């Protein structure tokens, strides 16, 4: 049995090698008869298989099979041509009987019938199948982005599982590969038809010339019978294969190696083999050699019967009876699906991060269309983890009909926080200055930073670059916007599940600090509050070990989260200083002592914290003074830094956040001793 299995595993490889030998080695007419009959039987099996499959993917090896059968016919053509020209027009009983049956004593009629069959196959069936395959391939590829987005939408809605989504995505990829292969494979059949006419002419003309030279009697009759018979023996199987091609493409790709796919495909339909074997027997009535016919028919019928018995011997499949004794209902409607309360709970799931795309932007996201958006998101997640020490949750991508085709929407926890417009075939151009903004384009606003910009077409790209414009491709525009949104809302995204993941990761290198601090000194929820406050002010949390050590030192005595965060910031002073230092120098705006005293005098302390109770007039004075100083230095520094005393920092930051959320407020204790401070201004009343 093992030897038999080994042989069947390599039967296709051996068959292809045999075809190659057909092109070189002369074959006895007995073997030619066998191979011609085998060719017809194989074509008939393929035709029947194409009629029984329910969808193209069940016959996923068809494009490869089409190539092999075409090569097989060409090999037989060459062998039969050699036999016709060297054996006085005799190429076996099959060719002779077929030729005599069609010609019936009239050479002209036989040649006309042969020509009609060839033209019908080439101009009608093959041409139509080729066109259908081409259109199917194009529409399948065009529909891929929408299908993939629909799968993502079903997965996000909880209507399908992750395994089902993965299976559907694989099916879409296989369909694309299948129809793309069919588009190319159909060209083989067309070329085979043309080659058949060429071989027929060669057989007829060459045979007449050779016969005239050797003195064979009735040359025309002899060689025309052989030529027509040989041509039809090629064209009848080719016609069956062409019909199979049309059936497959009008009604994607293999999963296993070629030999395994052949075994699974052909041995899965026993009745196809039985019907094909019975049909082969009827060829005896037109004079085909009975020995070869009976042999091949017996093989097909016997194989079909054995496979049918194996199918019956298999254990009965699961009937779908549930534990309660009731048959499981097939879901036939939306209402039936939501009768299961678990499916209703699936609707309550909210994605941490989601980007919705209009229809026109789908090619930017779909990898099959050449989009690299997913790769860019992955690289951004990697960089953000290195910079900030936080792993961004997976970004869910889906298409949406509620937004314009050229729009995208960024959602956090199910709610939209940002939106932008994209022109796929344009570049976002940022002019060197307003005076130099001279190029033609569509006026817009850069979505991430709110800068005036223009959408510049591909034709204007070179000119814009020469004029000094900064050109940004559409994917980079979306990625930049997404990164800024995530940076601004990272403190909302960081949840306790992710904090537990971070703690488990730290346990691999320093389990003692985690076990000593969590939850003995601070709970996970308190750690979450501290980390969120750090992220809110763009302070990296990558050094979780130092953060836990600081919380372990002060957490027992101090329960005010704001104060705990201030101590953690001081422990991270090297990290904080590095973010705002250039050439070991930090340019700052200092806060006057009078303002600090005013703020400290308005602080009200409670049991679990404190708050700032400053009158409206004093707030207005502080904001006006801050605005004046920030406007004065904004051309000198990219991110203004205000320097305060440690005890005032947190209250002043909360005060100005309503007006200047992007200004960094640092205390003297948060600056590394190696950094040189340069004061550019002083906020005073």
């Amino acid at each position: 049995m093992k030897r038999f299995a080994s042989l069947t595993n390599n039967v296709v490889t051996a068959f292809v090698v045999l075809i190659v030998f057909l092109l070189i080695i002369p074959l006895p007419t007995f073997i030619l008869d066998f191979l011609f009959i085998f060719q017809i039987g194989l074509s008939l099996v393929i035709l029947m298989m194409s009629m029984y499959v329910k969808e193209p993917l069940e016959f996923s090896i068809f494009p490869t099979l089409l190539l092999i059968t075409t090569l097989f016919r060409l090999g037989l053509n060459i062998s039969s041509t050699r036999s016709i020209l060297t054996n006085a027009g005799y190429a076996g009983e099959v060719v002779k009987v077929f030729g005599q049956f069609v010609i019936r004593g009239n050479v002209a009629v036989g040649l006309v019938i042969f020509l009609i069959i060839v033209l019908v196959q080439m101009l009608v069936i093959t041409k139509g199948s080729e066109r259908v395959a081409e259109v199917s391939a194009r529409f399948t590829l065009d529909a891929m982005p929408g299908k993939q987005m629909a799968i993502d939408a079903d997965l996000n809605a909880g209507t399908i599982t992750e395994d089902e989504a993965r299976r559907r995505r694989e099916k879409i990829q296989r369909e694309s590969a299948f129809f793309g292969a069919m588009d190319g494979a159909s060209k083989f059949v067309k070329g085979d038809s043309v080659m058949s006419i060429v071989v027929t002419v060669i057989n007829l003309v060459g045979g007449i010339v050779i016969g005239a030279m050797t003195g064979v009697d009735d040359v025309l009759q002899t060689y025309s019978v052989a030529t027509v018979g040989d041509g039809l023996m090629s064209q009848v199987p080719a016609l069956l294969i062409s019909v199979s091609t049309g059936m497959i493409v009008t009604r994607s790709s293999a999963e296993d190696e070629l030999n395994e796919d052949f075994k699974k495909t052909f041995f899965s339909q026993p009745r196809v083999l039985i019907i094909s074997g019975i049909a082969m027997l009827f060829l005896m009535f037109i004079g085909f050699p009975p020995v070869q016919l009976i042999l091949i028919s017996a093989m097909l019928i016997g194989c079909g019967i054995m496979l049918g018995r194996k199918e019956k011997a298999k254990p009965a499949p699961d009937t779908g009876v549930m534990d309660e004794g009731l048959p499981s209902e097939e879901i036939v409607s939306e209402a039936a699906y939501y009768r299961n309360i678990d499916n209703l709970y699936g609707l309550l799931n909210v994605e941490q991060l989601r980007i919705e795309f209009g229809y026109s932007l789908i090619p930017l996201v779909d990898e099959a269309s050449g989009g690299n958006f997913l790769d860019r998101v992955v690289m951004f997640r990697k960089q953000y983890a290195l910079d900030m020490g936080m792993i961004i949750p997976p970004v869910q991508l889906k298409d949406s009909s509620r937004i314009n085709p050229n729009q995208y929407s960024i959602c956090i926890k199910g709610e939209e926080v940002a939106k932008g417009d994209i022109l796929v075939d344009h570049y976002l151009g940022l002019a060197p200055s307003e005076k130099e903004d001279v190029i033609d384009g569509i006026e817009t606003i850069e979505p991430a930073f709110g800068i005036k910009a223009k959408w510049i077409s591909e034709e204007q790209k070179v000119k814009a670059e020469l004029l000094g414009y900064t050109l940004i491709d559409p994917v980079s525009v979306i990625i930049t916007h997404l990164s800024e949104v995530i940076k601004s809302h990272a403190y909302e995204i960081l949840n306790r599940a992710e904090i537990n993941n971070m703690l488990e990761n730290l346990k691999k290198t320093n389990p003692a600090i985690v076990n000593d601090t969590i939850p003995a000194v601070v709970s996970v929820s308190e750690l979450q509050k501290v980390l969120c406050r750090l992220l809110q002010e763009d302070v990296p949390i990558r050094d979780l070990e130092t953060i836990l050590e600081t919380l372990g030192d002060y957490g027992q005595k101090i329960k005010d989260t704001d104060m705990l965060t201030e101590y953690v910031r001081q422990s991270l002073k090297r990290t904080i200083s590095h973010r705002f230092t250039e050439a070991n120098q930090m340019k700052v705006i200092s806060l006057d002592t009078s303002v600090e005293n005013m703020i400290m005098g308005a602080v009200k302390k409670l049991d679990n914290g404190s708050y700032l109770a400053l009158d409206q007039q004093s707030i207005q004075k502080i904001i006006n003074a801050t605005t004046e100083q920030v406007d004065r230095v904004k051309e000198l520094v990219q991110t203004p830094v205000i320097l305060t005393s440690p005890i005032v920092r947190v209250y002043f930051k909360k005060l100005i956040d309503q007006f200047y959320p992007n200004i960094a407020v640092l205390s003297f204790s948060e600056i590394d001793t190696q950094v040189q401070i340069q004061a550019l201004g002083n906020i005073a009343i």
Side-chain angles (χ1 to χ4, degrees):
M1 287 300 292
K2 290 183 178 179
R3 288 184 178 179
F4 180 75
S6 177
L7 289 174
T8 57
N9 286 338
N10 296 282
V11 66
V12 179
T13 306
F15 185 67
V16 174
V17 173
L18 172 65
I19 294 172
V20 176
F21 282 123
L22 287 177
L23 305 176
I24 304 171
I25 302 175
L27 296 178
T29 55
F30 178 85
I31 297 179
L32 267 180
D33 287 342
F34 181 85
L35 292 178
F36 275 129
I37 295 174
F38 177 79
Q39 178 187 212
I40 293 178
L42 179 61
S43 304
L44 191 57
V45 169
I46 293 173
L47 176 62
M48 299 298 296
M49 188 73 69
S50 66
M51 297 170 67
Y52 275 98
V53 295
K54 297 179 181 179
E55 58 180 16
L57 281 183
E58 293 184 23
F59 210 171
S60 59
I61 61 169
F62 187 80
T64 305
L65 191 61
L66 192 61
L67 172 60
I68 293 176
T69 53
T70 301
L71 183 62
F72 184 42
R73 283 197 303 274
L74 292 175
L76 285 179
N77 264 343
I78 293 173
S79 294
S80 61
T81 297
R82 182 188 294 112
S83 183
I84 289 172
L85 298 179
T86 56
N87 292 338
Y90 183 72
E93 288 298 313
V94 172
V95 172
K96 180 180 177 181
V97 168
F98 225 142
Q100 290 175 345
F101 181 78
V102 173
I103 289 180
R104 294 186 177 273
N106 192 324
V107 175
V109 172
L111 291 174
V112 168
I113 292 175
F114 167 73
L115 184 62
I116 290 174
I117 292 175
V118 173
L119 292 177
V120 165
Q121 183 213 340
M122 185 171 65
L123 299 180
V124 180
I125 299 177
T126 303
K127 188 68 176 176
S129 299
E130 179 185 358
R131 178 59 179 165
V132 172
E134 179 184 345
V135 173
S136 299
R138 189 175 75 246
F139 277 96
T140 300
L141 292 173
D142 290 344
M144 276 187 65
K147 289 181 179 179
Q148 290 177 338
M149 291 293 185
I151 293 172
D152 292 337
D154 290 343
L155 180 61
N156 294 333
T159 57
I160 60 175
T161 63
E162 186 70 37
D163 291 338
E164 175 68 13
R166 188 181 301 109
R167 188 189 66 79
R168 289 190 186 180
R169 291 192 188 99
E170 290 175 355
K171 183 177 179 182
I172 291 173
Q173 295 293 337
R174 292 176 62 206
E175 283 180 350
S176 172
F178 176 81
F179 285 109
M182 283 300 304
D183 186 22
S186 60
K187 306 295 191 299
F188 296 135
V189 181
K190 183 179 180 181
D192 182 42
S193 302
V194 175
M195 190 62 195
S196 179
I197 297 177
V198 174
V199 171
T200 301
V201 173
I202 291 174
N203 284 343
L204 188 58
V205 175
I208 293 174
V209 171
I210 293 174
M213 292 175 62
T214 56
V216 177
D217 295 334
D218 201 3
V219 171
L220 182 61
Q221 180 69 23
T222 300
Y223 282 98
S224 61
V225 168
T227 299
V228 171
D230 179 51
L232 287 176
M233 281 309 303
S234 298
Q235 285 308 301
V236 168
L239 183 65
L240 296 178
I241 296 294
S242 298
V243 173
S244 303
T245 305
M247 287 188 176
I248 287 293
V249 298
T250 53
R251 290 220 324 204
S252 164
S253 190
E255 293 178 335
D256 298 319
E257 64 151 318
L258 183 61
N259 294 289
E260 287 296 322
D261 284 325
F262 268 84
K263 287 168 60 179
K264 286 196 299 185
T265 301
F266 281 98
F267 293 169
S268 63
Q269 299 284 357
R271 57 183 174 177
V272 169
L273 300 178
I274 296 173
I275 295 173
S276 300
I278 295 173
M280 292 289 294
L281 292 175
F282 286 94
L283 294 178
M284 283 192 296
F285 293 104
I286 65 173
F288 271 39
V291 176
Q292 292 91 332
L293 275 175
I294 293 173
L295 181 60
I296 293 178
S297 297
M299 289 169 55
L300 291 174
I301 295 173
C303 188
I305 292 174
M306 286 196 308
L307 292 173
R309 289 177 179 174
K310 286 184 179 180
E311 288 289 329
K312 292 180 180 179
K314 287 183 179 179
D318 186 7
T319 58
V321 177
M322 301 169 64
D323 292 339
E324 290 82 357
L326 298 175
S328 57
E329 286 190 49
E330 181 182 357
I331 302 302
V332 295
S333 68
E334 186 177 9
Y337 179 79
Y338 287 116
R339 286 175 187 168
N340 186 345
I341 193 170
D342 292 336
N343 296 330
L344 285 174
Y345 277 109
L347 298 176
L348 304 182
N349 296 330
V350 178
E351 305 95 341
Q352 289 281 86
L353 279 174
R354 185 179 76 239
I355 305 181
E356 298 179 352
F357 294 90
Y359 180 78
S360 299
L361 305 186
I362 291 177
L364 298 178
V365 182
D366 181 38
E367 292 181 336
S369 302
N372 64 342
F373 184 81
L374 292 177
D375 292 338
R376 298 284 297 275
V377 171
V378 169
M379 295 311 296
F380 167 68
R381 293 180 70 198
K382 171 198 169 187
Q383 191 60 45
Y384 194 78
L386 289 173
D387 292 342
M388 300 299 295
M390 171 185 166
I391 305 299
I392 299 171
V395 181
Q396 302 290 334
L397 309 178
K398 64 181 295 186
D399 60 343
S400 176
S401 59
R402 71 177 183 85
I403 58 178
N404 295 333
N406 290 325
Q407 280 187 334
Y408 65 91
S409 173
I410 302 174
C411 303
I412 294 179
K413 296 184 178 180
E415 297 297 330
E416 181 183 292
V417 295
K419 182 185 290 187
D421 291 270
I422 293 292
L423 295 183
V424 176
D425 53 350
H426 288 64
Y427 291 88
L428 187 71
L430 303 177
S433 65
E434 292 187 10
K435 295 181 181 179
E436 298 178 84
D437 191 5
V438 294
I439 201 167
D440 293 333
I442 302 172
E443 299 284 348
T444 187
I445 299 294
E446 196 278 330
F449 304 102
I451 305 171
K452 287 185 178 181
K454 285 183 178 179
W455 286 111
I456 298 173
S457 63
E458 184 73 34
E459 293 78 11
Q460 298 274 14
K461 179 184 177 184
V462 176
K463 180 181 177 182
E465 289 175 339
L466 293 175
L467 291 174
Y469 278 75
T470 301
L471 299 183
I472 309 170
D473 63 273
V475 173
S476 297
V477 173
I478 303 176
I479 290 293
T480 303
H481 196 187
L482 175 65
S483 66
E484 292 302 315
V485 169
I486 289 176
K487 289 175 184 177
S488 302
H489 297 81
Y491 66 96
E492 297 181 45
I493 300 172
L494 183 65
N495 55 28
R496 295 183 188 178
E498 179 56 32
I499 291 175
N500 283 323
N501 293 335
M502 295 166 63
L503 292 173
E504 289 299 322
N505 184 63
L506 182 58
K507 280 183 179 180
K508 297 176 183 177
T509 56
N510 191 350
I513 187 63
V514 178
N515 296 331
D516 290 347
T517 310
I518 306 295
V521 180
V522 293
S523 64
V524 173
S525 62
E526 291 172 329
L527 175 61
Q528 179 188 14
K529 293 176 183 177
V530 171
L531 296 181
C532 288
R533 280 169 168 75
L534 294 173
L535 289 173
Q536 197 168 5
E537 295 193 47
D538 203 28
V539 176
I541 59 173
R542 187 177 179 185
D543 190 1
L544 187 59
E545 186 174 347
T546 299
I547 295 173
L548 289 182
E549 287 177 349
T550 306
L551 293 177
D553 293 339
Y554 298 97
Q556 293 280 17
K557 303 173 184 178
I558 301 173
K559 298 303 179 183
D560 186 346
T561 305
D562 289 333
M563 290 298 103
L564 278 176
T565 306
E566 291 303 303
Y567 282 113
V568 170
R569 288 175 63 95
Q570 293 172 21
S571 300
L572 298 174
K573 62 182 179 181
R574 188 178 294 109
T575 302
I576 295 174
S577 299
H578 177 73
R579 294 186 69 81
F580 301 101
T581 301
E582 185 176 348
N584 206 33
Q585 188 178 62
M586 183 183 296
K587 298 177 180 180
V588 302
I589 302 172
S590 62
L591 190 63
D592 192 74
T593 307
S594 60
V595 179
E596 290 189 351
N597 292 334
M598 182 186 300
I599 292 174
M600 288 308 302
V603 173
K604 303 296 182 184
K605 293 189 178 294
L606 300 175
D607 293 338
N608 294 325
S610 55
Y611 67 97
L612 185 63
L614 201 60
D615 62 273
Q616 189 63 38
Q617 186 177 4
S618 299
I619 293 176
Q620 190 63 47
K621 289 179 181 180
I622 294 174
I623 296 302
N624 290 340
T626 303
T627 302
E628 179 184 348
Q629 294 299 321
V630 170
D631 291 343
R632 194 165 63 86
V633 304
K634 65 181 180 182
E635 294 183 0
L636 300 176
V637 291
Q638 185 175 3
T639 304
V641 176
I642 299 177
L643 195 60
T644 73
S645 60
I647 198 169
V648 174
R649 196 208 72 83
V650 63
Y651 303 111
F652 183 75
K653 176 61 177 173
K654 289 182 178 180
L655 176 63
I656 67 166
D657 254 352
Q658 305 172 45
F659 307 94
Y660 294 103
N662 296 324
I663 289 182
V665 179
L666 307 181
S667 72
F668 294 106
S669 301
E670 296 170 5
I671 300 178
D672 190 54
T673 55
Q674 304 297 324
V675 175
Q676 298 179 1
I677 300 175
Q678 180 183 359
L680 301 179
N682 183 51
I683 300 174
I685 299 176

